[in-house]
Amino acid sequence: MRENVPKLYIVIPCYNEEEILHQSMDILKGKLQRLVQTGKVTSDSRIVCVDDGSKDGTWDIIAERADKDDIFLGLRFSRNYGHQNAILAGMLESRKAADCVVTIDADLQQDVEALDDFLAKYMEGCDVVYGVRNDRDTDKAGKKFTAEAFYKLMKFLGVDMLPNSADYRLLSSKALEALSEYPESNLFLRGLIPTMGFKSDIVYFDVKDRTGGQSKYTLSKMMGLALNGITSMSTRPLELIVVIGLFFCLLALVIFIISMIDWARGMVVKGWTTTVALLCLIGGMNLLTNGLVGLYVGKSYIEIKHRPRYIIDQAIWDGNDK
Ligand code: UDP
Ligand code: MG
């Protein structure tokens, strides 16, 4: 149980969100003010907008409002580093000032009213509170299917992850401090945070349609995220290669025995189709598995460089332009 009213920082990653950012900032500000009035958070709580290298007027909106209104803080990346890094930057930069941080998407598809539940769980003593969506009815059929398949695959690969958990979650400053110790470049927060432990709980929320603009998650961004999810959390695909290899060795043995019997009977030309088919199959498998190993080698190469995960070009933080 916690007793002191927490100082809350809400982090919103923004990438080309000029169409809806004003509206989202208004809604969040209204919500935060209500939380202050009802004594759920302190009056020096803040909303941190992280501009992930937008090409439109997103930063102008953030800068203008952060200059005028103390409740808004702004960070601007030097280029597009992706959603996960934007969330990470917002959280890490806030961790010294805030008692807890909630991350939420700029389109506010996630219900802001759930913030009360997040804070209630925090007051109960949780350091991590996961947001889990009630259903996927608002998703397009394709997205729903791929998301479900991905969560099933992750489970099969042995990754401890809450199905349908979103990057809508609360972390206490203690959990954020722990998160800052993870140096990985291939970031997949949904998989990583459960591995940290801590007292945690779940809050269920509804997902609405985007009110403006397009989804900023292009197919290639989505595939990149899924790939990072797999390669950063599990090495099971590499183990599976060994299993597949073993299977083909056994198959080869069986075929060898059959061929020897055929040879002994003087029926040597039979089996041409099998030979060609197996040749193709094994050739294909070879390329695929080598590629998979290469994928991990590539990811390790990126990790080993220890490059910064994001670079902040500009910051408007507590009235100062850093
Ligand atoms: N986003 C980001 N960087 C990117 C892509 C997206 O910061 O490269 C942000 C985006 O502005 C939004 C959040 O990530 O706040 C989720 O994106 P979106 O709503 O487009 O994804 P969807 O809800 O369609 O999965
Ligand atoms: Mg969205």
Side-chain angles (χ1 to χ4, degrees):
M1 287 303 248
R2 289 189 164 96
E3 266 144 39
N4 295 339
V5 176
K7 182 173 173 183
L8 171 70
Y9 274 42
I10 301 174
V11 169
I12 27 180
C14 314
Y15 180 56
N16 295 342
E17 299 286 10
E18 64 177 5
E19 276 166 88
I20 46 166
L21 198 55
H22 269 303
Q23 190 195 346
S24 297
M25 288 170 93
D26 288 338
I27 295 173
L28 271 178
K29 182 180 171 181
K31 179 65 197 171
L32 193 58
Q33 282 173 336
R34 266 176 282 141
L35 288 171
V36 173
Q37 277 154 16
T38 49
K40 288 182 176 160
V41 301
T42 60
S43 57
D44 52 357
S45 295
R46 296 280 180 269
I47 297 167
V48 182
C49 304
V50 185
D51 174 16
D52 183 12
S54 299
K55 291 176 189 72
D56 64 359
T58 298
W59 177 250
D60 299 331
I61 297 175
I62 297 172
E64 185 204 317
R65 298 197 58 165
D67 276 336
K68 278 201 298 228
D69 191 344
D70 279 350
I71 204 167
F72 294 114
L73 305 176
L75 295 174
R76 182 188 204 182
F77 279 179
S78 58
R79 65 165 168 87
N80 181 239
Y81 282 92
H83 176 227
Q84 297 288 295
N85 290 313
I87 297 180
L88 183 78
M91 292 195 296
L92 294 187
E93 300 297 320
S94 304
R95 75 180 195 277
K96 298 279 186 241
D99 296 315
C100 56
V101 173
V102 171
T103 51
I104 188 166
D105 288 350
D107 52 10
L108 298 190
Q109 282 184 280
Q110 297 132 331
D111 186 10
V112 292
E113 295 307 320
L115 278 171
D116 297 81
D117 301 336
F118 278 100
L119 288 163
K121 301 281 184 202
Y122 173 80
M123 292 310 282
E124 282 170 23
C126 290
D127 285 297
V128 182
V129 187
Y130 301 100
V132 171
R133 46 197 296 170
N134 279 324
D135 53 52
R136 284 195 167 269
D137 291 349
T138 48
D139 273 358
K140 293 204 179 71
K143 187 154 187 173
K144 194 168 164 174
F145 174 76
T146 47
E148 275 166 10
F150 176 67
Y151 282 105
K152 285 208 180 101
L153 177 67
M154 290 301 272
K155 193 166 176 207
F156 171 71
L157 296 175
V159 183
D160 173 26
M161 219 166 93
L162 280 167
N164 293 330
S165 59
D167 285 310
Y168 185 23
R169 72 172 87 69
L170 177 146
L171 294 183
S172 70
S173 54
K174 191 163 66 173
L176 288 170
E177 209 51 56
L179 182 66
S180 72
E181 302 282 320
Y182 286 71
E184 53 214 76
S185 308
N186 297 300
L187 201 62
F188 186 65
L189 292 166
R190 263 169 250 188
L192 185 63
I193 290 171
T195 64
M196 299 195 313
F198 291 120
K199 182 171 154 71
S200 63
D201 211 331
I202 297 173
V203 160
Y204 292 93
F205 65 91
D206 289 327
V207 179
K208 289 172 264 181
D209 279 331
R210 220 178 213 279
T211 48
Q214 298 282 317
S215 170
K216 303 300 174 302
Y217 255 100
T218 54
L219 187 65
S220 68
K221 279 196 175 168
M222 195 81 86
M223 278 165 52
L225 180 71
L227 206 63
N228 262 350
I230 296 168
T231 53
S232 71
M233 298 306 301
S234 169
T235 49
R236 178 121 357 133
L238 296 175
E239 290 154 21
L240 286 177
I241 292 181
V242 180
V243 176
I244 295 169
L246 267 175
F247 169 77
F248 277 102
C249 286
L250 281 177
L251 190 69
L253 191 71
V254 173
I255 292 172
F256 178 72
I257 293 168
I258 294 172
S259 314
M260 288 315 274
I261 295 169
D262 281 353
W263 177 76
R265 287 169 165 182
M267 302 167 14
V268 272
V269 275
K270 196 187 137 230
W272 187 82
T273 322
T274 328
T275 315
V276 173
L278 275 176
L279 215 68
C280 292
L281 186 68
I282 293 170
M285 288 307 264
N286 241 325
L287 276 178
L288 191 77
T289 49
N290 272 327
L292 188 60
V293 175
L295 211 67
Y296 278 89
V297 175
K299 294 276 176 185
S300 314
Y301 179 58
I302 300 288
E303 291 295 344
I304 246 165
K305 289 190 203 222
H306 284 303
R307 287 189 175 170
R309 290 176 284 187
Y310 54 84
I311 294 172
I312 294 174
D313 180 12
Q314 250 175 295
I316 305 174
W317 205 268
D318 286 336
N320 301 317
D321 284 311
K322 279 200 236 173

